[in-house]
Amino acid sequence: MGSTYGKIFKIATFGESHGAGIGVIIEGCPAGVNFDSDFIQSELTRRKPGQSRITTQRKEADEFEVLSGVFEGKTTGTPIALIIRNEDQRSKDYSHIAAQFRPSHADYTYQVKYGVRDYRGGGRSSARETAARVAAGALAKLLLADLGVNIQSYVSQVGILKLEKSYQELDLTLTESNAVRCPDPEMAQQMFDYIDSVRKRGDSVGGVVNCVITGVPAGWGEPVFDKLHAEMGKAMLSINAVKGFEYGSGFEGVTLLGSQHNDAFYIDDEERVHTRTNHSGGVQGGISNGEDIYFRVAFKPVATIMQDQESIDQHGDVAIVQGKGRHDPCVVPRAVPIVEAMAALVLADFYLRNRSSKV
């Protein structure tokens, strides 16, 4: 159950970091969606390791194969199976922690829950699993693009370096122009240099990914428990290393009075309903209101660092965990396409749920 998501547009991911491969089964995708293989591959390439010296140096092409559900470039309406085979496994890099619990990893909790764990790169708990989500999310993006929905994420903070500009003040087309994926070139260079300095010290640093979604019509979402923002938060918090989620005005909204925070409605020149401000982040009552949906996702510093740390082993004895392997000093540059993919999966599901609920 823990590897599935969605009510109508449903995905189930499988595979481990150092197994034969990882993949995803997608159910509920309508027939006739243009299956743009080049676009899906480009999304996987944005997430893949080895992109620069501030990312893990694991070499994976992350090329996907279609096993079912696609014919002559279109989805058939049947389950779609995609697989990405692992090419650069180095299980021996993890033999030293076979019986140790690494600080802030899932080693201990997996051992307690299942009584067994795959210690090779964390196995199922590895962020490598997110490649399968990106593949499924790319298909969801293709479905949403036909509806005029656009999803754009970018890095807004690395450690104490914070981009103070709002998304309206930025040229988001510049996001992919640098290794950090920050649309402000000057700040991007500062972030890159900082991440690189942290890497050289064998340490890691966290950051924030912002996401803005345009083109979502009013009416997507469900009241009470399946609110649009609640599902979006669940999706983001399911991503490895995520520690926080806020949408709209978020925590800063508490500093405003109700008279300042309320989003007043008006009718524009084309007889469309809008709000003069958007503190609600495009969602009211758990349902989209037609304005931009925007949110922030906080990622902790990567738990694996190239320094020795004291911990314990499976027998309860003190152990020194040695820093080895290939790991990102900061996860946020590669997390940008993951955030977009999860947002797309949430919205594709709500689109189909909303369509099926109408007479």
Side-chain angles (χ1 to χ4, degrees), residues 69-355:
V70 180
F71 182 67
E72 295 183 340
K74 300 285 185 181
T75 58
T76 62
T78 58
I80 299 165
L82 309 177
I83 188 169
I84 303 162
R85 302 189 188 278
N86 292 330
E87 299 174 339
D88 191 19
Q89 309 101 311
R90 295 186 189 176
S91 300
K92 66 180 185 299
D93 286 352
Y94 300 93
S95 58
H96 67 292
I97 53 94
Q100 296 177 341
F101 298 137
R102 294 169 296 172
S104 288
H105 284 76
D107 300 342
Y108 172 71
T109 52
Y110 267 55
Q111 186 71 43
V112 171
K113 181 174 178 63
Y114 299 107
V116 63
R117 65 184 173 92
D118 184 346
Y119 61 82
R120 302 167 304 167
R124 186 73 181 142
S125 68
S126 169
R128 177 138 185 79
E129 179 270 343
T130 59
R133 306 190 198 194
V134 170
L139 180 57
K141 276 188 171 184
L142 291 170
L143 172 63
L144 294 167
D146 290 340
L147 307 172
V149 176
N150 181 67
I151 303 170
Q152 176 76 65
S153 295
Y154 61 94
V155 173
S156 63
Q157 185 171 348
V158 170
I160 60 173
L161 298 173
K162 184 177 181 181
L163 188 60
E164 298 293 348
K165 299 175 182 177
S166 68
Y167 72 87
Q168 296 99 329
E169 301 174 88
L170 296 166
D171 180 358
L172 298 186
T173 64
L174 298 177
T175 300
E176 296 294 320
S177 67
N178 57 77
V180 182
R181 293 200 166 95
C182 173
D184 183 288
E186 183 177 342
M187 178 59 75
Q189 187 60 54
Q190 293 181 45
M191 289 176 172
F192 184 95
D193 293 341
Y194 182 51
I195 295 171
D196 200 30
S197 69
V198 168
R199 177 188 65 83
K200 291 175 180 176
R201 298 197 300 270
D203 217 328
S204 64
V205 64
V208 174
V209 173
N210 283 32
C211 184
V212 56
I213 305 166
T214 60
V216 175
W220 290 11
E222 301 290 341
V224 193
F225 297 114
D226 285 356
K227 290 179 167 65
L228 175 54
H229 60 277
E231 284 297 309
M232 197 67 78
K234 174 183 176 180
M236 297 306 143
L237 290 164
S238 76
I239 300 171
N240 306 61
V242 170
K243 287 296 184 182
F245 169 83
E246 65 172 8
Y247 77 102
S249 61
F251 286 96
E252 288 301 313
V254 304
T255 65
L256 302 177
L257 299 174
S259 56
Q260 298 170 308
H261 192 271
N262 286 346
D263 297 319
F265 290 101
Y266 73 98
I267 303 293
D268 68 11
D269 295 337
E270 297 181 13
E271 301 297 313
R272 294 176 301 190
V273 176
H274 283 290
T275 59
R276 298 193 182 281
T277 53
N278 189 20
H279 298 299
S280 300
V283 183
Q284 293 172 325
I287 301 171
S288 61
N289 66 2
E291 300 298 322
D292 293 351
I293 296 171
Y294 64 96
F295 55 84
R296 290 160 40 89
V297 187
F299 290 79
K300 71 174 183 178
V302 176
T304 299
I305 58 176
M306 298 298 102
Q307 299 178 17
D308 291 350
Q309 301 174 86
E310 185 175 303
S311 187
I312 62 171
D313 62 21
Q314 292 177 184
H315 308 292
D317 297 324
V318 174
I320 301 299
V321 178
Q322 296 179 317
K324 293 182 179 180
R326 300 158 296 172
H327 305 279
D328 295 87
C330 181
V331 74
V332 290
R334 291 176 61 215
V336 166
I338 304 170
V339 168
E340 292 179 5
M342 291 308 299
L345 291 169
V346 171
L347 292 173
D349 194 40
F350 272 124
Y351 159 64
L352 295 174
R353 290 166 70 174
N354 192 62
R355 190 175 67 170

Side-chain angles (χ1 to χ4, degrees), residues 46-64:
R46 293 172 68 207
R47 193 221 70 97
K48 76 175 185 179
Q51 296 182 39
S52 73
R53 69 172 183 265
I54 62 168
T55 64
T56 172
Q57 294 306 295
R58 179 171 176 169
K59 300 300 182 183
E60 296 284 357
D62 279 357
E63 295 179 351
F64 74 97

